């Protein structure tokens, strides 16, 4: 099936630093989603993207739908301790197929 | 409150035993999903259902079974054929599967299954 390559796999950053992560695919997607999972909980939707080139913000988070439609990016500005967790990208192409999820980026913030 | 409820939060299984994980939603969503999460493996789709009385296998359906007799309920049974069941199991729902904007999945809080 389709696969999403999410990178980096994990990252350790200092509080206050900016964070960038990305998700790439060999296939075109028509929807890109970004989720965050806190330890021991289910993922929660952060941002949804529906058009190539779209740039959407949610507080300190900004995500972009790549113009090739094969990638998406998530940036977090001025990280804080509560940003700790696993960030998942998800994509959808077409038809009655479920979302495809990346393997996640585990973010650790050092105070 | 509207949402997805998974129970129990923690579950222990003995060797050779079947166990059933519960998932209930009151969001009036047509589609429901079960995922398995192992460390570093992301979310792997076990089964999904787009409508009552219908379901499809995901990527790792072997050793699992599901039913969808009611719109709001999608229980997952981990059978004795699943030799490595220890994992975190997540249930999700969406208004639909195949329509942009309506296929956003909302997740429950998960059930952690361990083998005794």
């Amino acid at each position: 099936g389709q696969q999403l390559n999410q990178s980096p796999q994990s990252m350790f950053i200092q509080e206050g630093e900016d964070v960038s992560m990305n998700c790439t695919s060999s296939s075109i997607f028509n929807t890109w989603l970004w989720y965050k999972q806190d330890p021991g909980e289910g993922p929660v939707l952060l941002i949804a993207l529906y058009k190539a080139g779209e740039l959407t913000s949610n507080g300190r988070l900004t995500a972009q739908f790549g113009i090739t439609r094969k990638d998406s990016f998530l940036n977090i500005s001025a990280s804080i301790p509560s940003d700790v967790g696993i960030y998942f990208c998800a994509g959808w192409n077409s038809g009655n197929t479920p979302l495809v999820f990346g393997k996640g980026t585990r973010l650790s913030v050092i105070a | 409150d509207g949402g997805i409820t998974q129970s129990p939060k923690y579950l222990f299984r003995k060797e050779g035993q079947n166990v059933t994980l519960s998932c209930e939603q009151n969001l009036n969503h047509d589609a429901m999903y079960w995922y398995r999460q192992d460390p570093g493996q992301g979310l792997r789709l076990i089964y999904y259902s787009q409508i009552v009385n219908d379901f499809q296998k995901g990527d790792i359906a072997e050793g699992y079974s599901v039913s969808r007799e009611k719109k709001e309920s999608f229980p997952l049974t981990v059978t004795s054929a699943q030799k490595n069941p220890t994992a975190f199991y997540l249930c999700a729902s969406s208004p639909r599967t195949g329509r942009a904007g309506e296929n956003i999945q909302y997740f429950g809080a998960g059930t952690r299954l361990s083998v005794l």
Side-chain angles (χ1 to χ4, degrees):
Chain A
Q2 294 176 314
Q3 291 187 337
L4 295 181
N5 298 309
Q6 197 169 345
S7 66
Q9 193 171 17
S10 62
M11 51 195 319
F12 292 82
I13 61 167
Q14 293 278 352
E15 184 177 356
E17 287 184 352
D18 296 343
V19 174
S20 292
M21 60 188 76
N22 68 79
C23 201
T24 61
S25 170
S26 57
S27 305
I28 288 174
F29 283 93
N30 294 309
T31 296
W32 285 97
L33 306 172
W34 285 92
Y35 286 85
K36 182 198 177 193
Q37 183 181 30
D38 289 330
E41 298 293 330
V44 174
L45 181 70
L46 298 173
I47 293 177
L49 303 160
Y50 299 107
K51 291 175 59 177
E54 181 179 357
L55 190 70
T56 298
S57 293
N58 178 5
R60 293 177 296 105
L61 278 62
T62 301
Q64 184 165 22
F65 192 137
I67 58 173
T68 66
R69 295 165 65 192
K70 293 183 177 181
D71 54 15
S72 181
F73 309 89
L74 177 69
N75 295 313
I76 305 173
S77 63
S79 59
I80 59 178
S82 63
D83 290 334
V84 165
I86 303 176
Y87 291 80
F88 290 101
C89 62
W92 176 74
N93 185 351
S94 62
N96 278 331
T97 56
L99 301 176
V100 177
F101 282 86
K103 292 189 175 182
T105 293
R106 183 179 294 273
L107 178 63
S108 300
V109 178
I110 304 167
Chain B
D1 284 356
I4 301 172
T5 302
Q6 290 188 243
S7 62
K9 183 69 174 174
Y10 300 95
L11 187 58
F12 297 91
R13 192 191 92 167
K14 295 180 181 179
E15 293 285 345
Q17 188 180 46
N18 292 354
V19 291
T20 298
L21 284 61
S22 170
C23 179
E24 303 276 332
Q25 54 101 357
N26 60 5
L27 301 170
N28 199 34
H29 287 171
D30 284 335
M32 297 187 75
Y33 314 81
W34 273 106
Y35 292 91
R36 171 178 171 143
Q37 186 176 24
D38 296 283
Q41 293 294 318
L43 306 176
R44 293 188 290 171
L45 184 64
I46 304 173
Y47 270 99
Y48 67 103
S49 168
Q50 299 183 73
I51 199 167
V52 173
N53 292 323
D54 185 53
F55 48 83
Q56 287 83 39
K57 293 182 179 180
D59 299 320
I60 56 165
E62 186 173 351
Y64 301 97
S65 66
V66 294
S67 63
R68 187 88 186 275
E69 297 177 1
K70 298 186 297 182
K71 185 175 186 177
E72 59 270 23
S73 179
F74 191 40
L76 173 74
T77 296
V78 184
T79 74
S80 57
Q82 174 49 246
K83 298 307 179 186
N84 184 23
T86 297
F88 190 53
Y89 291 86
L90 286 160
C91 177
S93 71
S94 65
R96 299 190 196 286
T97 298
R99 191 176 296 180
E102 295 187 33
N103 57 359
I104 292 175
Q105 294 181 20
Y106 299 88
F107 286 84
T111 292
R112 188 166 298 280
L113 175 62
S114 301
V115 176
L116 294 176

